[in-house]
């Protein structure tokens, strides 16, 4: 019922910046939580950053101080500003949203298809 479309991935040099965007569309009553996860080769998918509809955020230790998650509730969009990028940040980044389709109904978890971020010289 919900589609998450990511954009902004690409190739960047170490120390560079990149801004990811994820726009949600479909049957959305509310999205209490939106988040970014990433998966590097040979590693498990990990939470990068999350943000609630009220603006509370949390970050993985590896990205604290470098990444910033934000959202535009009116546009059902979440962003990930990535600064001071390192080669270890190379991964497929996935947008994730917990979506309520109506009141008093358990929400569902949705995922985007992922966008590649490569940090290399």
């Amino acid at each position: 019922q919900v589609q998450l479309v990511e954009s902004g991935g690409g190739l960047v040099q170490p120390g560079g910046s990149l801004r990811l965007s994820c726009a949600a569309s479909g049957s959305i009553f509310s999205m209490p939580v939106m988040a970014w996860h990433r998966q590097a080769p040979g590693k498990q998918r990990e939470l990068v950053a999350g943000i609630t509809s009220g603006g509370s955020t949390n970050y993985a230790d590896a990205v604290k101080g470098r990444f910033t998650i934000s959202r535009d509730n009116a546009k059902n969009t979440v962003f990930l500003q990535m600064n001071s990028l390192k080669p270890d940040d190379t991964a497929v980044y996935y947008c994730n949203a917990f979506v309520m389709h109506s009141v008093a109904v358990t929400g569902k978890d949705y995922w985007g298809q992922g966008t590649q971020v490569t940090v290399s010289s």
Side-chain angles (χ1 to χ4, degrees):
Q1 298 185 50
V2 172
Q3 297 176 357
L4 302 178
V5 180
E6 299 131 325
S7 63
L11 175 65
V12 65
Q13 293 183 328
S17 298
L18 212 57
R19 180 178 170 87
L20 304 183
S21 176
C22 172
S25 62
S27 180
I28 303 171
F29 179 76
S30 66
M31 292 190 292
V33 179
M34 299 186 77
W36 289 95
H37 294 69
R38 69 185 182 186
Q39 187 166 21
K43 296 184 178 180
Q44 295 288 99
R45 187 174 298 187
E46 64 175 349
L47 174 68
V48 176
I51 184 168
T52 69
S53 59
S56 297
T57 61
N58 67 289
Y59 298 90
D61 289 341
V63 307
K64 287 181 179 178
R66 299 187 298 118
F67 290 11
T68 302
I69 188 170
S70 62
R71 63 188 286 172
D72 185 334
N73 291 330
K75 296 182 178 181
N76 290 327
T77 302
V78 64
F79 306 93
L80 185 67
Q81 179 66 47
M82 304 183 291
N83 299 325
S84 302
L85 284 162
K86 305 174 180 179
D88 285 348
D89 294 319
T90 296
V92 177
Y93 285 70
Y94 296 91
C95 179
N96 167 240
F98 184 73
V99 180
M100 297 291 292
H101 300 291
S102 66
V103 67
V105 177
T106 302
K108 298 179 181 179
D109 212 35
Y110 292 89
W111 293 85
Q113 65 182 21
T115 184
Q116 178 70 48
V117 172
T118 302
V119 185
S120 176
S121 298

